[in-house]
Amino acid sequence: MVHAERDTAVPTRLSRRTVVAALGAIATGALVGTRTAVAAPAAAPGLDDPAKKETAMKLVSSAENSSLDWKAQYKYIEDIGDGRGYTAGIIGFCSGTGDMLDLVQLYTDRKPGNVLAKYLPALRRVNGTDSHSGLDPNFPKDWRTAAQDTVFQQAQNDERDRVYFNPAVAQGKTDGLRALGQFAYYDAIVMHGDGDDPTSFRNIRGRALRSAKPPAQGGNETTYLNAFLDARVWAMKQEEAHSDTTRVDTEQRVFLKKGNLDLNTPLDWKVYGDSYHIG
């Protein structure tokens, strides 16, 4: 959402040969009475697992759009009065923070002459402001028209992944966090961006690191995530538009208190007092 303010280990998979060899060793051990070693279970899927990623999209949509139907948000656009101009699309691309400009440029690179291409000069001018100059009155209507185009939908998906999802998951894996921690990073970078601002993702993480270590540094995962969520709540309260912290308090902390570090379904949570469920 805030492009101007934005900061892996891969689960080991046993080869078929390794599995066959292990099974053979177990069988041999059973026959001759020797001791056998059983392979450790594979690591749980990270947030980039397709099913986990779908869950993440729904969780963010519940907070950003009060709906689990994240794909219905391609067409979403409004000025929510947070000083960032228009907020739009599946992840809240903003006309005042650069990520909307990048998105429309990508769409135009892929489909020249599209209905939003003519707004590129205006988007460059309003970047860094809350101005609608050169966008009103037809930009929202044209955005909703573009949202019916699968090329534009894919561009939104790709920019979401490039700017927000992939960096959050990569940092989460580097820190030794499982799916819930990776999601906590993703939700934070969506709202706060990852730049040098004191409330940006990298500085939220830095604040957490001053009081706890992540698993990759020998720390306890639950302790670290509590520290990260504390830092996230602090950051949210610095800005009136983000001062409602229920997406942390009655969502992410609920999962953490239950010990659901792999973000397994079913999930039940609340945001802004509304209840949600993923079975």
Side-chain angles (χ1 to χ4, degrees):
M1 178 181 289
V2 194
H3 181 73
E5 302 171 0
R6 300 189 262 279
D7 171 72
T8 52
V10 179
T12 302
R13 295 185 181 273
L14 296 177
S15 69
R16 182 175 182 275
R17 177 178 296 177
T18 302
V19 172
V20 171
L23 291 174
I26 292 170
T28 301
L31 289 173
V32 301
T34 58
R35 297 177 64 186
T36 61
V38 180
L47 200 67
D48 48 358
D49 171 81
K52 300 286 187 186
K53 186 174 183 178
E54 179 69 15
T55 294
M57 298 305 109
K58 290 179 177 179
L59 289 169
V60 169
S61 186
S62 74
E64 295 283 321
N65 304 102
S66 298
S67 170
L68 297 183
D69 188 2
W70 67 270
K71 292 181 180 178
Q73 311 312 320
Y74 290 115
K75 65 180 183 297
Y76 163 74
I77 182 168
E78 67 175 320
D79 188 327
I80 62 175
D82 64 352
R84 296 180 173 92
Y86 280 117
T87 295
I90 59 171
I91 210 65
F93 301 98
C94 294
S95 60
T97 60
D99 54 355
M100 182 180 286
L101 170 60
D102 291 346
L103 169 62
V104 175
Q105 184 64 65
L106 177 64
Y107 180 34
T108 302
D109 291 344
R110 294 178 177 179
K111 189 171 184 177
N114 70 74
V115 70
L116 297 180
K118 60 181 175 288
Y119 294 104
L120 281 170
L123 287 170
R124 294 188 187 99
R125 288 195 300 271
V126 302
N127 189 20
T129 77
D130 63 356
S131 174
H132 294 184
S133 177
L135 300 176
D136 288 344
N138 293 322
F139 184 66
K141 174 177 67 69
D142 288 339
W143 180 281
R144 289 187 286 269
T145 297
Q148 301 174 47
D149 183 359
T150 56
V151 177
F152 187 47
Q153 293 174 10
Q154 188 59 49
Q156 288 196 39
N157 292 346
D158 292 344
E159 281 297 279
R160 171 202 62 202
D161 290 351
R162 181 184 71 86
V163 178
Y164 302 106
F165 188 80
N166 293 344
V169 171
Q171 184 62 65
K173 290 185 176 183
T174 296
D175 286 343
L177 301 177
R178 287 179 273 175
L180 176 58
Q182 294 166 29
F183 174 74
Y185 278 13
Y186 174 53
D187 192 64
I189 201 171
V190 164
M191 175 176 282
H192 302 281
D194 188 26
D196 296 326
D197 187 274
T199 60
S200 69
F201 165 70
R202 72 181 63 189
N203 286 314
I204 293 171
R205 177 175 172 272
R207 190 180 183 92
L209 288 171
R210 290 197 290 272
S211 59
K213 293 181 179 180
Q217 297 179 24
N220 176 273
E221 188 167 6
T222 298
T223 301
Y224 173 73
L225 286 179
N226 272 313
F228 180 81
L229 294 180
D230 288 344
R232 171 78 190 282
V233 166
W234 172 85
M236 291 174 72
K237 289 183 175 179
Q238 304 311 301
E239 187 175 356
E240 179 59 32
H242 295 152
S243 60
D244 185 312
T245 60
T246 55
R247 69 198 291 163
V248 172
D249 302 333
T250 56
E251 182 187 299
Q252 294 172 51
R253 283 204 198 274
V254 170
F255 308 149
L256 184 58
K257 287 177 181 177
K258 290 184 176 180
N260 192 357
L261 295 172
D262 291 315
L263 202 61
N264 292 324
T265 56
L267 296 170
D268 292 280
W269 73 98
K270 292 183 179 180
V271 181
Y272 310 132
D274 297 328
S275 296
Y276 298 93
H277 171 80
I278 299 176

